[in-house]
Amino acid sequence: MSEALRRDYRVCEEIGRGRFGVVHRCYSPESGESFAVKSIDKRLISEDSVDRQCLYNEVKVMNLLTPNPNVVQIFNVYEDDIQLHIVLELCNASDLFERVTNRVFSESEAVAVMLPLMEAIAHCHSHGVAHRDIKPDNILFDEWNRLKLADFGSAECFREGELMSGVVGTPYYVAPEVVAGSEYCEKVDVWSAGVILYIMLAGIPPFYGDSATEIFEAVLRANLRFPPRVFHSVSPVAKDLLRKMLCKDVSRRFTAEQVLRHPWMTSGGETGSVAVLT
Protein backbone atom coordinates (compact mmCIF):
# COMPACT_ATOMS: atom_id res chain seq x y z
CA MET A 1 0.00 0.00 0.00
CA SER A 2 1.25 3.50 -0.87
CA GLU A 3 3.33 5.16 1.85
CA ALA A 4 1.69 8.51 1.03
CA LEU A 5 -1.78 6.98 1.49
CA ARG A 6 -0.78 5.49 4.87
CA ARG A 7 0.64 8.84 5.91
CA ASP A 8 -2.63 10.68 5.23
CA TYR A 9 -5.25 8.02 6.08
CA ARG A 10 -5.83 5.00 8.29
CA VAL A 11 -7.20 2.15 6.18
CA CYS A 12 -9.90 0.05 7.90
CA GLU A 13 -12.29 -2.76 6.94
CA GLU A 14 -13.10 -3.92 3.41
CA ILE A 15 -16.48 -2.66 2.20
CA GLY A 16 -16.45 -3.74 -1.45
CA ARG A 17 -14.63 -5.74 -4.08
CA GLY A 18 -14.40 -5.63 -7.88
CA ARG A 19 -12.56 -7.26 -10.76
CA PHE A 20 -9.32 -5.37 -10.26
CA GLY A 21 -9.36 -4.15 -6.70
CA VAL A 22 -10.84 -3.67 -3.28
CA VAL A 23 -12.67 -0.82 -1.53
CA HIS A 24 -11.91 -0.12 2.13
CA ARG A 25 -13.26 2.38 4.58
CA CYS A 26 -10.56 4.77 5.72
CA TYR A 27 -10.38 7.87 7.87
CA SER A 28 -8.23 10.94 8.26
CA PRO A 29 -6.43 10.99 11.65
CA GLU A 30 -6.32 14.77 11.33
CA SER A 31 -10.07 15.37 10.92
CA GLY A 32 -11.56 12.03 11.99
CA GLU A 33 -13.68 12.05 8.81
CA SER A 34 -14.36 8.73 7.08
CA PHE A 35 -13.86 8.07 3.36
CA ALA A 36 -13.75 5.14 0.93
CA VAL A 37 -10.50 4.18 -0.75
CA LYS A 38 -10.62 2.16 -3.97
CA SER A 39 -7.32 0.29 -4.45
CA ILE A 40 -6.68 -1.15 -7.91
CA ASP A 41 -3.93 -3.68 -8.59
CA LYS A 42 -2.39 -2.42 -11.84
CA ARG A 43 -0.70 -5.78 -12.44
CA LEU A 44 -4.12 -7.25 -13.24
CA ILE A 45 -4.66 -4.75 -16.08
CA SER A 46 -2.44 -4.65 -19.16
CA GLU A 47 -0.95 -1.27 -20.08
CA ASP A 48 -2.79 -0.94 -23.40
CA SER A 49 -6.16 -2.36 -22.32
CA VAL A 50 -9.52 -0.57 -22.36
CA ASP A 51 -9.79 -1.24 -18.61
CA ARG A 52 -6.57 0.69 -17.95
CA GLN A 53 -7.92 3.59 -20.03
CA CYS A 54 -11.22 3.52 -18.09
CA LEU A 55 -9.34 3.59 -14.81
CA TYR A 56 -7.52 6.84 -15.50
CA ASN A 57 -10.52 8.25 -17.34
CA GLU A 58 -12.61 7.83 -14.17
CA VAL A 59 -10.15 9.94 -12.16
CA LYS A 60 -10.09 12.66 -14.81
CA VAL A 61 -13.88 12.80 -15.14
CA MET A 62 -14.55 12.82 -11.39
CA ASN A 63 -12.10 15.68 -10.89
CA LEU A 64 -13.99 17.57 -13.57
CA LEU A 65 -17.42 16.97 -11.99
CA THR A 66 -16.84 17.39 -8.27
CA PRO A 67 -17.72 18.91 -5.93
CA ASN A 68 -21.42 18.40 -6.62
CA PRO A 69 -23.99 17.28 -4.01
CA ASN A 70 -25.27 14.43 -6.20
CA VAL A 71 -21.97 13.10 -7.59
CA VAL A 72 -19.56 10.99 -5.52
CA GLN A 73 -16.68 13.30 -4.67
CA ILE A 74 -13.04 12.43 -5.27
CA PHE A 75 -10.55 13.70 -2.69
CA ASN A 76 -7.12 12.24 -3.39
CA VAL A 77 -5.29 9.92 -5.76
CA TYR A 78 -2.14 7.97 -4.87
CA GLU A 79 -0.15 5.82 -7.25
CA ASP A 80 2.89 3.57 -6.98
CA ASP A 81 4.33 0.88 -9.25
CA ILE A 82 1.76 -1.70 -8.16
CA GLN A 83 -1.46 0.07 -7.16
CA LEU A 84 -3.65 3.07 -7.82
CA HIS A 85 -5.58 4.33 -4.79
CA ILE A 86 -8.57 6.66 -5.20
CA VAL A 87 -9.95 8.28 -2.04
CA LEU A 88 -13.68 8.94 -2.43
CA GLU A 89 -16.69 10.13 -0.53
CA LEU A 90 -18.02 7.32 1.64
CA CYS A 91 -21.49 6.08 0.64
CA ASN A 92 -22.19 3.34 3.14
CA ALA A 93 -25.98 3.04 2.87
CA SER A 94 -27.64 0.68 0.38
CA ASP A 95 -27.47 1.39 -3.35
CA LEU A 96 -30.58 1.82 -5.50
CA PHE A 97 -30.33 -1.75 -6.80
CA GLU A 98 -30.95 -3.05 -3.28
CA ARG A 99 -33.83 -0.63 -2.83
CA VAL A 100 -35.67 -1.49 -6.07
CA THR A 101 -35.36 -5.26 -5.64
CA ASN A 102 -38.73 -6.89 -4.92
CA ARG A 103 -40.69 -3.70 -4.34
CA VAL A 104 -42.60 -0.99 -6.19
CA PHE A 105 -42.17 2.72 -5.41
CA SER A 106 -45.01 5.18 -4.97
CA GLU A 107 -44.79 8.17 -7.30
CA SER A 108 -43.63 10.46 -4.49
CA GLU A 109 -40.91 7.94 -3.55
CA ALA A 110 -39.84 7.64 -7.19
CA VAL A 111 -39.61 11.39 -7.74
CA ALA A 112 -37.46 11.69 -4.60
CA VAL A 113 -34.92 9.51 -6.41
CA MET A 114 -35.40 11.00 -9.88
CA LEU A 115 -34.87 14.63 -8.87
CA PRO A 116 -31.32 14.27 -7.52
CA LEU A 117 -30.48 11.67 -10.19
CA MET A 118 -31.53 13.96 -13.04
CA GLU A 119 -29.78 16.91 -11.38
CA ALA A 120 -26.59 14.79 -11.31
CA ILE A 121 -27.04 13.82 -14.97
CA ALA A 122 -27.77 17.42 -15.99
CA HIS A 123 -24.62 18.50 -14.13
CA CYS A 124 -22.58 15.89 -16.02
CA HIS A 125 -24.00 16.97 -19.38
CA SER A 126 -23.43 20.67 -18.68
CA HIS A 127 -19.76 19.82 -18.05
CA GLY A 128 -19.50 17.83 -21.28
CA VAL A 129 -19.60 14.38 -19.65
CA ALA A 130 -21.85 11.47 -20.62
CA HIS A 131 -21.93 8.80 -17.88
CA ARG A 132 -22.96 5.97 -20.27
CA ASP A 133 -23.67 3.40 -17.56
CA ILE A 134 -26.57 4.78 -15.52
CA LYS A 135 -28.06 1.86 -13.57
CA PRO A 136 -29.30 1.25 -10.01
CA ASP A 137 -25.96 -0.31 -8.95
CA ASN A 138 -24.20 2.99 -9.71
CA ILE A 139 -26.64 5.10 -7.69
CA LEU A 140 -25.45 5.18 -4.09
CA PHE A 141 -26.70 6.76 -0.86
CA ASP A 142 -24.66 8.24 1.97
CA GLU A 143 -25.43 7.95 5.69
CA TRP A 144 -27.84 10.90 5.43
CA ASN A 145 -29.69 9.14 2.57
CA ARG A 146 -28.44 11.61 -0.04
CA LEU A 147 -28.22 10.20 -3.57
CA LYS A 148 -24.78 10.07 -5.20
CA LEU A 149 -24.06 9.10 -8.81
CA ALA A 150 -20.97 6.89 -8.95
CA ASP A 151 -18.70 4.79 -11.20
CA PHE A 152 -17.51 6.95 -14.08
CA GLY A 153 -15.30 4.26 -15.64
CA SER A 154 -17.41 4.21 -18.84
CA ALA A 155 -17.89 7.99 -19.01
CA GLU A 156 -16.96 9.95 -22.10
CA CYS A 157 -16.19 13.65 -22.50
CA PHE A 158 -17.89 15.39 -25.43
CA ARG A 159 -18.23 18.82 -26.97
CA GLU A 160 -21.64 20.30 -27.78
CA GLY A 161 -23.03 18.73 -30.94
CA GLU A 162 -20.36 16.03 -30.92
CA LEU A 163 -21.38 12.38 -31.14
CA MET A 164 -19.85 9.41 -29.33
CA SER A 165 -19.41 5.76 -30.27
CA GLY A 166 -18.70 2.42 -28.62
CA VAL A 167 -21.01 -0.18 -27.13
CA VAL A 168 -20.96 0.42 -23.37
CA GLY A 169 -23.60 0.08 -20.67
CA THR A 170 -25.70 -2.68 -19.13
CA PRO A 171 -28.33 -4.69 -21.09
CA TYR A 172 -31.59 -3.56 -19.42
CA TYR A 173 -30.55 0.10 -19.27
CA VAL A 174 -28.65 0.74 -22.51
CA ALA A 175 -30.24 2.96 -25.18
CA PRO A 176 -31.25 1.46 -28.56
CA GLU A 177 -28.84 3.64 -30.55
CA VAL A 178 -25.95 2.22 -28.52
CA VAL A 179 -27.10 -1.37 -29.12
CA ALA A 180 -27.44 -0.60 -32.84
CA GLY A 181 -23.79 0.44 -32.99
CA SER A 182 -24.72 3.95 -34.13
CA GLU A 183 -23.08 7.16 -33.02
CA TYR A 184 -24.98 8.75 -30.15
CA CYS A 185 -25.23 11.77 -27.88
CA GLU A 186 -25.50 12.29 -24.13
CA LYS A 187 -29.25 11.53 -24.21
CA VAL A 188 -28.33 7.86 -23.74
CA ASP A 189 -28.20 8.75 -20.03
CA VAL A 190 -31.78 10.04 -20.13
CA TRP A 191 -32.93 6.75 -21.66
CA SER A 192 -31.18 4.78 -18.88
CA ALA A 193 -32.74 6.99 -16.20
CA GLY A 194 -36.14 6.42 -17.86
CA VAL A 195 -35.64 2.66 -17.52
CA ILE A 196 -34.90 3.16 -13.81
CA LEU A 197 -38.08 5.23 -13.38
CA TYR A 198 -40.13 2.54 -15.14
CA ILE A 199 -38.67 -0.16 -12.88
CA MET A 200 -39.36 1.88 -9.74
CA LEU A 201 -43.03 2.39 -10.70
CA ALA A 202 -43.69 -1.06 -12.20
CA GLY A 203 -41.29 -3.44 -10.45
CA ILE A 204 -40.26 -4.84 -13.87
CA PRO A 205 -38.04 -3.50 -16.68
CA PRO A 206 -39.71 -2.06 -19.80
CA PHE A 207 -37.62 -4.19 -22.18
CA TYR A 208 -36.66 -7.68 -21.10
CA GLY A 209 -35.70 -11.17 -22.24
CA ASP A 210 -34.19 -14.40 -20.97
CA SER A 211 -30.70 -13.59 -22.27
CA ALA A 212 -28.61 -10.52 -23.07
CA THR A 213 -29.36 -11.08 -26.77
CA GLU A 214 -33.12 -11.13 -26.17
CA ILE A 215 -32.89 -8.03 -23.98
CA PHE A 216 -30.93 -6.16 -26.68
CA GLU A 217 -33.53 -7.19 -29.29
CA ALA A 218 -36.32 -5.83 -27.07
CA VAL A 219 -34.39 -2.59 -26.51
CA LEU A 220 -33.89 -2.18 -30.28
CA ARG A 221 -37.65 -2.61 -30.86
CA ALA A 222 -38.27 -0.05 -28.08
CA ASN A 223 -41.93 -1.04 -27.92
CA LEU A 224 -42.89 0.82 -24.74
CA ARG A 225 -45.98 -0.58 -23.03
CA PHE A 226 -47.83 0.07 -19.79
CA PRO A 227 -49.52 -3.22 -18.81
CA PRO A 228 -52.78 -2.32 -16.99
CA ARG A 229 -52.24 -4.89 -14.22
CA VAL A 230 -48.95 -3.17 -13.35
CA PHE A 231 -49.69 0.46 -14.20
CA HIS A 232 -53.32 0.69 -13.01
CA SER A 233 -52.39 3.14 -10.24
CA VAL A 234 -49.65 5.05 -12.12
CA SER A 235 -50.72 8.51 -13.20
CA PRO A 236 -51.00 9.70 -16.82
CA VAL A 237 -48.44 12.43 -16.18
CA ALA A 238 -45.86 9.86 -14.99
CA LYS A 239 -46.50 7.79 -18.13
CA ASP A 240 -46.10 10.94 -20.22
CA LEU A 241 -42.63 11.52 -18.75
CA LEU A 242 -41.70 7.88 -19.40
CA ARG A 243 -42.72 8.23 -23.05
CA LYS A 244 -40.52 11.31 -23.41
CA MET A 245 -37.51 9.67 -21.73
CA LEU A 246 -37.89 6.27 -23.43
CA CYS A 247 -38.38 7.73 -26.90
CA LYS A 248 -36.48 5.83 -29.60
CA ASP A 249 -36.35 8.98 -31.76
CA VAL A 250 -33.40 10.75 -30.15
CA SER A 251 -34.39 14.13 -31.63
CA ARG A 252 -37.67 13.92 -29.68
CA ARG A 253 -36.24 12.35 -26.52
CA PHE A 254 -36.04 14.79 -23.62
CA THR A 255 -32.77 16.26 -22.41
CA ALA A 256 -31.92 16.02 -18.72
CA GLU A 257 -32.95 19.65 -18.24
CA GLN A 258 -36.32 19.03 -19.92
CA VAL A 259 -36.92 16.07 -17.60
CA LEU A 260 -36.28 18.31 -14.60
CA ARG A 261 -38.88 20.81 -15.90
CA HIS A 262 -41.59 18.18 -16.57
CA PRO A 263 -44.78 18.65 -14.45
CA TRP A 264 -44.38 15.26 -12.76
CA MET A 265 -40.93 16.29 -11.53
CA THR A 266 -41.81 19.85 -10.52
CA SER A 267 -44.91 18.72 -8.59
CA GLY A 268 -43.03 16.08 -6.62
CA GLY A 269 -45.23 13.37 -8.12
CA GLU A 270 -48.35 15.02 -6.66
CA THR A 271 -49.79 16.01 -10.06
CA GLY A 272 -49.94 12.30 -10.85
CA SER A 273 -52.07 11.53 -7.81
CA VAL A 274 -54.52 14.30 -8.67
CA ALA A 275 -54.76 13.13 -12.28
CA VAL A 276 -55.69 9.62 -11.20
CA LEU A 277 -58.36 10.77 -8.74
CA THR A 278 -60.20 13.19 -11.06
Side-chain angles (χ1 to χ4, degrees), residues 185-240:
C185 69
E186 69 277 11
K187 287 184 184 180
V188 294
D189 291 342
V190 174
W191 175 281
S192 301
V195 173
I196 290 171
L197 175 57
Y198 189 104
I199 290 171
M200 285 193 292
L201 295 176
I204 56 172
F207 314 107
Y208 53 89
D210 293 329
S211 66
T213 301
E214 287 184 8
I215 295 166
F216 287 143
E217 288 171 352
V219 169
L220 280 170
R221 288 193 298 271
N223 184 13
L224 182 63
R225 293 177 176 173
F226 301 112
R229 63 180 178 80
V230 175
F231 278 87
H232 64 277
S233 62
V234 176
S235 67
V237 72
K239 294 176 191 172
D240 179 72

Side-chain angles (χ1 to χ4, degrees), residues 27-229:
Y27 70 92
S28 163
E30 189 175 316
S31 68
E33 189 176 357
S34 290
F35 302 89
V37 57
K38 183 192 288 188
S39 301
I40 296 99
D41 189 335
K42 297 192 296 184
R43 295 169 297 184
L44 300 175
I45 317 171
S46 62
E47 286 282 352
D48 56 351
S49 72
V50 172
D51 291 313
R52 178 68 69 101
Q53 181 184 335
C54 288
L55 188 60
Y56 289 101
N57 185 56
E58 182 172 18
V59 172
K60 181 184 79 171
V61 166
M62 292 188 76
N63 275 320
L64 180 66
L65 293 174
T66 58
N68 178 272
N70 301 123
V71 173
V72 169
Q73 187 166 350
I74 185 170
F75 292 98
N76 281 300
V77 178
Y78 302 89
E79 186 172 12
D80 54 33
D81 292 338
I82 297 172
Q83 290 185 305
L84 177 71
H85 306 280
I86 308 170
V87 179
L88 302 161
E89 189 173 2
L90 179 64
C91 297
N92 53 356
S94 58
D95 61 30
L96 185 60
F97 181 79
E98 293 175 43
R99 297 187 181 196
V100 298
T101 303
N102 299 321
R103 65 160 297 204
V104 173
F105 283 51
S106 68
E107 292 191 38
S108 58
E109 288 173 326
V111 82
V113 171
M114 289 302 294
L115 272 171
L117 173 59
M118 293 312 304
E119 284 167 357
I121 293 171
H123 175 74
C124 292
H125 293 177
S126 69
H127 283 72
V129 172
H131 186 284
R132 303 201 302 175
D133 196 20
I134 303 286
K135 59 182 178 180
D137 320 51
N138 291 337
I139 298 166
L140 311 181
F141 296 89
D142 67 12
E143 61 183 310
W144 296 281
N145 204 38
R146 295 178 302 200
L147 181 148
K148 306 283 180 175
L149 182 59
D151 198 345
F152 287 83
S154 298
E156 180 82 10
C157 294
F158 65 91
R159 294 186 182 89
E160 190 172 352
E162 185 178 80
L163 296 176
M164 292 162 272
S165 62
V167 178
V168 294
T170 303
Y172 283 121
Y173 306 96
V174 68
E177 60 268 29
V178 178
V179 178
S182 307
E183 291 188 315
Y184 50 83
C185 69
E186 69 277 11
K187 287 184 184 180
V188 294
D189 291 342
V190 174
W191 175 281
S192 301
V195 173
I196 290 171
L197 175 57
Y198 189 104
I199 290 171
M200 285 193 292
L201 295 176
I204 56 172
F207 314 107
Y208 53 89
D210 293 329
S211 66
T213 301
E214 287 184 8
I215 295 166
F216 287 143
E217 288 171 352
V219 169
L220 280 170
R221 288 193 298 271
N223 184 13
L224 182 63
R225 293 177 176 173
F226 301 112
R229 63 180 178 80

